[in-house]
Coordinates of all heavy atoms in Angstrom, one line a residue:
M608 N 70.6 -119.4 62.1 CA 71.5 -119.4 63.2 C 70.8 -118.9 64.4 O 70.0 -118.0 64.4 CB 72.7 -118.5 62.9 CG 73.7 -118.4 64.0 SD 75.1 -117.3 63.6 CE 76.3 -118.5 63.4
A609 N 71.0 -119.5 65.6 CA 70.3 -119.2 66.8 C 70.7 -117.9 67.3 O 71.9 -117.5 67.2 CB 70.5 -120.3 67.8
K610 N 69.8 -117.2 67.9 CA 70.1 -115.9 68.5 C 70.9 -116.1 69.8 O 70.5 -117.0 70.6 CB 68.7 -115.2 68.9 CG 68.9 -113.8 69.4 CD 67.5 -113.2 69.6 CE 67.6 -111.8 70.1 NZ 66.3 -111.2 70.4
P611 N 71.9 -115.3 70.1 CA 72.7 -115.6 71.3 C 71.9 -115.3 72.6 O 71.0 -114.4 72.6 CB 73.8 -114.5 71.2 CG 73.4 -113.6 70.1 CD 72.4 -114.2 69.3
K612 N 72.1 -116.1 73.6 CA 71.4 -116.0 74.8 C 71.9 -114.8 75.6 O 73.1 -114.5 75.7 CB 71.7 -117.3 75.7 CG 70.9 -117.3 77.0 CD 71.2 -118.6 77.7 CE 70.4 -118.6 79.0 NZ 70.7 -119.8 79.8
P613 N 71.0 -113.9 76.1 CA 71.4 -112.7 76.8 C 72.1 -113.0 78.1 O 71.7 -114.0 78.8 CB 70.1 -111.9 77.0 CG 69.0 -113.0 76.9 CD 69.5 -114.1 76.0
N614 N 73.0 -112.2 78.5 CA 73.6 -112.3 79.8 C 72.6 -111.9 80.9 O 71.9 -110.9 80.7 CB 74.8 -111.4 79.8 CG 75.6 -111.4 81.1 OD1 75.0 -111.4 82.2 ND2 76.9 -111.3 81.0
N615 N 72.5 -112.7 82.0 CA 71.6 -112.4 83.0 C 71.7 -111.0 83.6 O 70.7 -110.3 83.8 CB 71.7 -113.4 84.2 CG 71.2 -114.8 83.8 OD1 70.6 -115.0 82.8 ND2 71.6 -115.8 84.6
A616 N 72.9 -110.6 83.8 CA 73.2 -109.2 84.3 C 72.7 -108.2 83.3 O 72.1 -107.1 83.8 CB 74.7 -109.0 84.6
D617 N 72.8 -108.4 82.0 CA 72.3 -107.5 81.0 C 70.8 -107.3 81.1 O 70.3 -106.2 80.9 CB 72.8 -107.9 79.6 CG 74.3 -107.8 79.4 OD1 74.9 -107.1 80.2 OD2 74.7 -108.4 78.4
V618 N 70.1 -108.4 81.3 CA 68.7 -108.4 81.4 C 68.2 -107.6 82.6 O 67.3 -106.8 82.5 CB 68.1 -109.9 81.4 CG1 66.6 -109.8 81.8 CG2 68.4 -110.6 80.1
L619 N 68.9 -107.8 83.8 CA 68.5 -107.1 85.0 C 68.8 -105.6 84.8 O 68.0 -104.8 85.3 CB 69.3 -107.7 86.2 CG 68.9 -109.1 86.6 CD1 69.8 -109.6 87.8 CD2 67.4 -109.2 86.9
V620 N 69.9 -105.3 84.2 CA 70.2 -103.8 84.0 C 69.2 -103.2 83.1 O 68.7 -102.1 83.3 CB 71.7 -103.7 83.5 CG1 71.9 -102.3 83.0 CG2 72.7 -104.0 84.6
G621 N 68.9 -103.9 82.0 CA 67.9 -103.4 81.0 C 66.5 -103.2 81.7 O 65.9 -102.2 81.4
L622 N 66.1 -104.2 82.5 CA 64.9 -104.0 83.2 C 64.9 -102.8 84.1 O 63.9 -102.1 84.2 CB 64.5 -105.3 84.0 CG 63.2 -105.3 84.8 CD1 62.0 -105.0 83.9 CD2 63.1 -106.6 85.6
G623 N 66.0 -102.7 84.8 CA 66.1 -101.6 85.8 C 66.0 -100.2 85.0 O 65.4 -99.3 85.5
E624 N 66.7 -100.1 83.9 CA 66.6 -98.9 83.1 C 65.2 -98.7 82.6 O 64.7 -97.5 82.6 CB 67.5 -99.0 81.9 CG 69.0 -99.0 82.3 CD 70.0 -99.3 81.2 OE1 69.5 -99.7 80.0 OE2 71.2 -99.2 81.4
R625 N 64.5 -99.7 82.2 CA 63.1 -99.6 81.8 C 62.2 -99.1 83.0 O 61.4 -98.2 82.8 CB 62.6 -100.9 81.3 CG 61.1 -101.0 81.0 CD 60.7 -100.9 79.6 NE 61.6 -101.2 78.6 CZ 61.7 -102.4 77.9 NH1 60.9 -103.4 78.2 NH2 62.6 -102.5 76.9
I626 N 62.4 -99.6 84.2 CA 61.6 -99.2 85.3 C 61.9 -97.8 85.7 O 61.0 -97.0 85.9 CB 62.0 -100.1 86.5 CG1 61.4 -101.6 86.3 CG2 61.4 -99.6 87.8 CD1 61.9 -102.6 87.2
R627 N 63.2 -97.4 85.7 CA 63.5 -96.0 85.9 C 62.9 -95.0 84.9 O 62.3 -94.0 85.3 CB 65.0 -95.8 85.9 CG 65.5 -94.4 86.2 CD 67.0 -94.2 86.3 NE 67.5 -94.9 87.4 CZ 68.4 -95.9 87.2 NH1 68.8 -96.3 86.1 NH2 68.9 -96.5 88.3
K628 N 62.9 -95.4 83.7 CA 62.4 -94.6 82.6 C 60.8 -94.4 82.8 O 60.3 -93.3 82.7 CB 62.7 -95.2 81.2 CG 62.2 -94.4 80.1 CD 62.5 -95.1 78.8 CE 62.0 -94.3 77.6 NZ 62.3 -95.0 76.3
L629 N 60.2 -95.5 83.1 CA 58.7 -95.4 83.3 C 58.4 -94.6 84.5 O 57.4 -93.8 84.5 CB 58.1 -96.9 83.4 CG 58.1 -97.7 82.1 CD1 57.8 -99.1 82.4 CD2 57.1 -97.1 81.1
R630 N 59.1 -94.8 85.6 CA 58.9 -94.0 86.8 C 59.1 -92.5 86.5 O 58.2 -91.7 86.9 CB 59.8 -94.5 87.9 CG 59.8 -93.7 89.2 CD 60.7 -94.2 90.2 NE 62.1 -94.1 89.9 CZ 62.9 -93.0 89.9 NH1 62.3 -91.9 90.3 NH2 64.1 -93.1 89.7
K631 N 60.2 -92.2 85.9 CA 60.5 -90.7 85.6 C 59.5 -90.1 84.7 O 59.1 -89.0 84.8 CB 61.9 -90.6 85.1 CG 62.9 -90.8 86.3 CD 64.3 -90.4 85.8 CE 65.2 -90.5 87.1 NZ 66.5 -89.9 86.8
K632 N 59.0 -90.9 83.7 CA 58.0 -90.5 82.7 C 56.7 -90.0 83.4 O 56.1 -89.1 83.0 CB 57.7 -91.6 81.7 CG 56.7 -91.2 80.7 CD 56.5 -92.4 79.7 CE 55.5 -92.1 78.6 NZ 55.3 -93.2 77.8
R633 N 56.4 -90.7 84.6 CA 55.3 -90.3 85.3 C 55.5 -89.2 86.4 O 54.6 -88.8 87.1 CB 54.7 -91.6 86.0 CG 54.0 -92.4 85.0 CD 54.0 -93.9 85.5 NE 53.2 -94.7 84.5 CZ 53.8 -95.1 83.3 NH1 55.0 -94.7 83.0 NH2 53.1 -95.8 82.5
G634 N 56.8 -88.8 86.5 CA 57.1 -87.8 87.4 C 57.2 -88.3 88.9 O 57.1 -87.5 89.8
W635 N 57.4 -89.6 89.0 CA 57.4 -90.1 90.4 C 58.8 -90.2 90.9 O 59.8 -90.6 90.2 CB 56.9 -91.6 90.4 CG 55.5 -91.7 90.0 CD1 54.5 -90.8 89.9 CD2 54.8 -93.0 89.6 NE1 53.3 -91.3 89.5 CE2 53.5 -92.7 89.3 CE3 55.3 -94.3 89.5 CZ2 52.5 -93.7 89.0 CZ3 54.3 -95.3 89.2 CH2 53.0 -94.9 88.9
T636 N 59.0 -89.9 92.2 CA 60.2 -90.3 92.9 C 60.2 -91.7 93.2 O 59.1 -92.4 93.1 CB 60.4 -89.5 94.1 OG1 59.3 -89.8 95.0 CG2 60.4 -88.0 93.9
Q637 N 61.3 -92.3 93.7 CA 61.2 -93.7 94.1 C 60.3 -93.8 95.3 O 59.6 -94.8 95.5 CB 62.6 -94.2 94.5 CG 63.5 -94.4 93.3 CD 64.9 -94.8 93.7 OE1 65.3 -94.7 94.8 NE2 65.7 -95.3 92.7
E638 N 60.2 -92.8 96.2 CA 59.3 -92.9 97.3 C 57.9 -92.9 96.9 O 57.1 -93.7 97.5 CB 59.6 -91.6 98.2 CG 60.9 -91.7 99.0 CD 62.1 -91.1 98.1 OE1 61.9 -90.6 97.0 OE2 63.2 -91.3 98.5
I639 N 57.5 -92.0 95.9 CA 56.1 -92.0 95.5 C 55.8 -93.3 94.8 O 54.7 -93.9 95.1 CB 55.9 -90.8 94.5 CG1 56.0 -89.5 95.2 CG2 54.6 -91.0 93.7 CD1 56.0 -88.3 94.4
M640 N 56.7 -93.9 94.0 CA 56.4 -95.1 93.3 C 56.2 -96.2 94.4 O 55.3 -97.1 94.2 CB 57.6 -95.5 92.4 CG 57.4 -96.8 91.7 SD 58.7 -97.1 90.5 CE 58.5 -98.8 90.2
A641 N 57.1 -96.3 95.4 CA 57.0 -97.3 96.4 C 55.7 -97.3 97.1 O 55.0 -98.3 97.3 CB 58.1 -97.1 97.4
E642 N 55.2 -96.1 97.4 CA 53.9 -95.9 98.0 C 52.8 -96.4 97.1 O 51.8 -97.0 97.6 CB 53.7 -94.4 98.4 CG 52.6 -94.2 99.4 CD 52.6 -92.7 99.8 OE1 53.6 -92.3 100.4 OE2 51.6 -92.1 99.5
K643 N 52.8 -96.0 95.9 CA 51.8 -96.3 94.9 C 51.6 -97.8 94.7 O 50.5 -98.3 94.5 CB 52.0 -95.6 93.6 CG 51.7 -94.1 93.6 CD 51.8 -93.5 92.2 CE 51.4 -92.1 92.2 NZ 50.0 -91.8 92.5
I644 N 52.8 -98.5 94.6 CA 52.7 -100.0 94.3 C 52.9 -100.9 95.4 O 52.9 -102.1 95.3 CB 53.7 -100.3 93.1 CG1 55.1 -100.1 93.5 CG2 53.3 -99.5 91.9 CD1 56.1 -100.6 92.5
G645 N 53.3 -100.3 96.6 CA 53.4 -101.1 97.8 C 54.7 -101.9 97.9 O 54.7 -103.0 98.4
M646 N 55.8 -101.3 97.4 CA 57.1 -101.9 97.5 C 58.0 -101.0 98.3 O 57.8 -99.8 98.3 CB 57.7 -102.2 96.1 CG 57.0 -103.3 95.4 SD 57.9 -103.6 93.8 CE 56.9 -104.9 93.1
D647 N 59.0 -101.5 98.8 CA 60.0 -100.7 99.6 C 60.9 -99.9 98.6 O 61.3 -100.4 97.5 CB 60.9 -101.6 100.4 CG 61.7 -100.9 101.4 OD1 61.2 -100.5 102.4 OD2 62.9 -100.7 101.1
R648 N 61.1 -98.6 99.0 CA 61.9 -97.7 98.1 C 63.3 -98.3 97.8 O 63.8 -98.2 96.7 CB 62.1 -96.4 98.8 CG 62.7 -95.3 97.8 CD 63.6 -94.3 98.4 NE 64.6 -94.9 99.3 CZ 65.8 -95.3 98.9 NH1 66.1 -95.4 97.6 NH2 66.7 -95.8 99.8
S649 N 63.9 -98.9 98.8 CA 65.3 -99.5 98.6 C 65.2 -100.7 97.6 O 66.2 -100.9 96.9 CB 65.9 -99.9 99.9 OG 65.2 -100.9 100.5
F650 N 64.1 -101.4 97.6 CA 64.0 -102.5 96.6 C 63.9 -101.9 95.2 O 64.5 -102.4 94.3 CB 62.7 -103.3 97.0 CG 62.5 -104.5 96.0 CD1 63.3 -105.6 96.1 CD2 61.5 -104.4 95.1 CE1 63.1 -106.7 95.2 CE2 61.3 -105.5 94.3 CZ 62.1 -106.6 94.3
I651 N 63.1 -100.9 95.1 CA 63.0 -100.2 93.8 C 64.4 -99.7 93.3 O 64.7 -99.8 92.2 CB 61.9 -99.1 93.8 CG1 60.6 -99.7 94.0 CG2 62.0 -98.2 92.6 CD1 59.5 -98.7 94.3
A652 N 65.1 -99.0 94.2 CA 66.4 -98.5 93.9 C 67.3 -99.6 93.4 O 68.1 -99.5 92.4 CB 67.0 -97.8 95.1
D653 N 67.3 -100.8 94.1 CA 68.1 -101.9 93.7 C 67.7 -102.5 92.3 O 68.5 -102.9 91.5 CB 68.0 -103.0 94.7 CG 68.8 -102.8 96.0 OD1 69.7 -101.8 96.0 OD2 68.7 -103.5 97.0
L654 N 66.4 -102.5 92.1 CA 65.9 -102.9 90.8 C 66.4 -102.0 89.7 O 66.9 -102.5 88.6 CB 64.3 -102.9 90.7 CG 63.6 -104.0 91.5 CD1 62.1 -103.8 91.4 CD2 63.9 -105.4 90.9
E655 N 66.3 -100.7 89.9 CA 66.7 -99.8 88.9 C 68.2 -99.9 88.6 O 68.7 -99.5 87.5 CB 66.4 -98.3 89.3 CG 64.9 -98.1 89.3 CD 64.5 -96.7 89.6 OE1 65.4 -95.8 89.9 OE2 63.3 -96.3 89.5
R656 N 69.0 -100.3 89.5 CA 70.4 -100.5 89.3 C 70.8 -101.9 88.8 O 72.0 -102.2 88.6 CB 71.2 -100.2 90.7 CG 71.2 -98.7 91.1 CD 72.2 -98.5 92.2 NE 72.1 -99.4 93.3 CZ 71.3 -99.1 94.4 NH1 70.6 -98.1 94.5 NH2 71.3 -100.0 95.4
G657 N 69.8 -102.7 88.6 CA 70.1 -104.1 88.2 C 70.7 -105.0 89.2 O 71.3 -106.0 88.9
K658 N 70.5 -104.6 90.5 CA 71.1 -105.4 91.6 C 70.2 -106.5 92.2 O 70.6 -107.2 93.0 CB 71.5 -104.4 92.7 CG 72.5 -103.4 92.3 CD 73.8 -104.0 91.8 CE 74.8 -103.0 91.4 NZ 76.0 -103.5 90.8
R659 N 68.9 -106.5 91.7 CA 67.9 -107.4 92.3 C 67.3 -108.2 91.2 O 67.0 -107.7 90.1 CB 66.8 -106.7 93.0 CG 67.2 -106.1 94.3 CD 67.2 -107.2 95.4 NE 67.4 -106.6 96.7 CZ 66.4 -106.6 97.6 NH1 65.3 -107.3 97.4 NH2 66.7 -106.0 98.8
N660 N 67.1 -109.5 91.5 CA 66.3 -110.4 90.6 C 64.9 -110.4 91.1 O 64.7 -110.7 92.3 CB 66.9 -111.8 90.6 CG 66.4 -112.6 89.5 OD1 65.5 -112.2 88.7 ND2 66.9 -113.8 89.4
I661 N 63.9 -110.0 90.3 CA 62.6 -109.8 90.7 C 61.7 -111.0 90.4 O 61.9 -111.7 89.4 CB 62.0 -108.5 90.1 CG1 60.6 -108.2 90.7 CG2 62.0 -108.6 88.6 CD1 60.1 -106.8 90.3
T662 N 60.8 -111.3 91.3 CA 59.9 -112.4 91.0 C 58.8 -112.1 90.0 O 58.5 -110.9 89.8 CB 59.1 -112.9 92.3 OG1 58.2 -111.8 92.7 CG2 60.1 -113.2 93.4
I663 N 58.2 -113.1 89.4 CA 57.1 -112.8 88.4 C 55.9 -112.1 89.1 O 55.3 -111.2 88.5 CB 56.7 -114.1 87.8 CG1 55.7 -113.9 86.6 CG2 56.0 -115.1 88.8 CD1 56.4 -113.3 85.4
L664 N 55.6 -112.4 90.3 CA 54.5 -111.7 91.0 C 54.8 -110.2 91.2 O 53.9 -109.4 91.0 CB 54.3 -112.4 92.4 CG 53.8 -113.8 92.3 CD1 53.7 -114.4 93.7 CD2 52.5 -114.0 91.6
N665 N 56.0 -109.9 91.5 CA 56.4 -108.5 91.7 C 56.4 -107.8 90.3 O 56.1 -106.6 90.2 CB 57.7 -108.3 92.4 CG 57.5 -108.5 93.9 OD1 56.5 -108.2 94.5 ND2 58.6 -108.8 94.6
L666 N 56.8 -108.5 89.3 CA 56.8 -107.9 87.9 C 55.3 -107.6 87.5 O 55.1 -106.5 86.9 CB 57.3 -108.9 86.9 CG 58.9 -109.0 86.8 CD1 59.3 -110.1 85.9 CD2 59.4 -107.7 86.3
V667 N 54.4 -108.4 87.9 CA 53.0 -108.2 87.6 C 52.5 -106.9 88.4 O 51.8 -106.1 87.8 CB 52.1 -109.4 88.0 CG1 50.6 -109.1 88.0 CG2 52.4 -110.6 87.1
V668 N 52.9 -106.8 89.6 CA 52.6 -105.6 90.4 C 53.2 -104.4 89.8 O 52.5 -103.3 89.7 CB 53.1 -105.7 91.9 CG1 53.0 -104.4 92.6 CG2 52.3 -106.8 92.6
L669 N 54.4 -104.4 89.3 CA 55.0 -103.3 88.6 C 54.3 -102.9 87.4 O 54.0 -101.7 87.2 CB 56.5 -103.6 88.3 CG 57.5 -103.4 89.3 CD1 58.9 -103.9 88.7 CD2 57.6 -101.9 89.7
A670 N 54.0 -103.9 86.6 CA 53.2 -103.6 85.3 C 51.9 -103.0 85.6 O 51.5 -102.0 85.0 CB 53.1 -104.9 84.5
Q671 N 51.2 -103.5 86.6 CA 49.9 -102.9 86.9 C 50.0 -101.5 87.4 O 49.3 -100.6 87.1 CB 49.2 -103.8 88.0 CG 48.7 -105.1 87.4 CD 48.1 -106.0 88.5 OE1 48.4 -105.9 89.7 NE2 47.4 -107.0 88.1
G672 N 51.1 -101.3 88.3 CA 51.3 -99.9 88.8 C 51.6 -98.9 87.7 O 51.3 -97.7 87.8
F673 N 52.3 -99.4 86.6 CA 52.6 -98.5 85.5 C 51.4 -98.4 84.5 O 51.5 -97.7 83.5 CB 53.9 -98.9 84.8 CG 55.1 -98.6 85.6 CD1 56.1 -99.6 85.7 CD2 55.4 -97.4 86.1 CE1 57.3 -99.4 86.4 CE2 56.6 -97.1 86.7 CZ 57.5 -98.1 86.9
G674 N 50.4 -99.3 84.7 CA 49.3 -99.3 83.8 C 49.7 -99.9 82.4 O 49.2 -99.4 81.4
T675 N 50.6 -100.9 82.4 CA 51.0 -101.5 81.2 C 50.9 -103.0 81.4 O 50.6 -103.5 82.4 CB 52.5 -101.1 80.9 OG1 52.8 -101.5 79.6 CG2 53.5 -101.6 81.9
S676 N 51.1 -103.7 80.3 CA 51.1 -105.2 80.3 C 52.4 -105.7 80.7 O 53.5 -105.0 80.5 CB 50.6 -105.8 79.0 OG 51.6 -105.6 78.0
L677 N 52.4 -106.9 81.2 CA 53.7 -107.5 81.6 C 54.5 -107.7 80.3 O 55.8 -107.5 80.3 CB 53.4 -108.9 82.3 CG 54.6 -109.6 82.8 CD1 55.4 -108.8 83.8 CD2 54.2 -110.9 83.5
S678 N 53.9 -108.1 79.2 CA 54.7 -108.3 78.0 C 55.3 -107.0 77.5 O 56.4 -107.0 77.0 CB 53.8 -108.9 76.9 OG 52.7 -108.0 76.5
Q679 N 54.6 -105.8 77.7 CA 55.2 -104.6 77.3 C 56.4 -104.2 78.2 O 57.4 -103.7 77.8 CB 54.2 -103.4 77.3 CG 53.2 -103.5 76.1 CD 52.2 -102.4 76.2 OE1 51.6 -102.2 77.3 NE2 51.9 -101.8 75.1
L680 N 56.2 -104.5 79.5 CA 57.3 -104.2 80.5 C 58.6 -104.9 80.1 O 59.7 -104.4 80.2 CB 56.8 -104.5 81.9 CG 57.8 -104.2 83.0 CD1 58.0 -102.7 83.1 CD2 57.3 -104.8 84.3
L681 N 58.4 -106.2 79.7 CA 59.6 -107.0 79.4 C 60.0 -107.1 77.9 O 61.0 -107.7 77.6 CB 59.2 -108.5 79.9 CG 58.9 -108.6 81.3 CD1 58.5 -110.1 81.6 CD2 60.1 -108.2 82.2
S682 N 59.3 -106.4 77.1 CA 59.6 -106.4 75.7 C 61.0 -106.0 75.3 O 61.5 -105.0 75.8 CB 58.6 -105.5 74.9 OG 58.9 -105.4 73.6
R683 N 61.7 -106.8 74.6 CA 63.0 -106.5 74.0 C 64.1 -106.3 75.1 O 65.0 -105.5 74.9 CB 63.0 -105.3 73.1 CG 62.2 -105.6 71.8 CD 62.4 -104.5 70.8 NE 61.1 -104.2 70.3 CZ 60.9 -103.0 69.7 NH1 61.8 -102.1 69.6 NH2 59.7 -102.8 69.2
L684 N 64.0 -107.0 76.2 CA 65.1 -107.0 77.2 C 66.1 -107.9 76.7 O 67.0 -108.3 76.9 CB 64.6 -107.3 78.6 CG 63.6 -106.3 79.2 CD1 63.2 -106.8 80.6 CD2 64.3 -104.9 79.4

């Protein structure tokens, strides 16, 4: 039997939770993270709330900023 397709909103919320967890694990505020990876703080806030759909290029920047692979960042969303 095929695995059910995830709801788009669920994926965005799950990614946002992952980003928040990784940021807090490093002790970063949204402002510090924004400065380190070159993204706007409000964009990061929207990502963490699951309100933004992020491009693959920005996902790569996030993964690099966290020192992880893209596959690890997206694993089990």
Side-chain angles (χ1 to χ4, degrees):
M608 180 179 251
K610 187 176 177 182
K612 186 176 176 183
N614 179 321
N615 291 345
D617 292 341
V618 171
L619 293 177
V620 168
L622 178 61
E624 290 170 354
R625 170 102 22 101
I626 291 167
R627 181 179 293 118
K628 181 178 176 182
L629 289 169
R630 175 180 62 78
K631 288 188 173 195
K632 182 178 178 182
R633 285 155 179 77
W635 297 346
T636 64
Q637 289 178 346
E638 291 82 8
I639 290 169
M640 180 177 162
E642 194 173 299
K643 287 186 177 289
I644 65 172
M646 289 184 182
D647 190 78
R648 190 216 50 86
S649 64
F650 181 73
I651 292 168
D653 286 347
L654 285 175
E655 288 185 358
R656 289 192 309 269
K658 301 296 180 191
R659 288 283 189 113
N660 192 356
I661 187 170
T662 66
I663 189 73
L664 296 175
N665 282 334
L666 282 171
V667 169
V668 170
L669 275 175
Q671 289 173 341
F673 286 131
T675 190
S676 70
L677 186 56
S678 63
Q679 286 177 314
L680 182 65
L681 300 176
S682 176
R683 294 191 225 160
L684 290 178

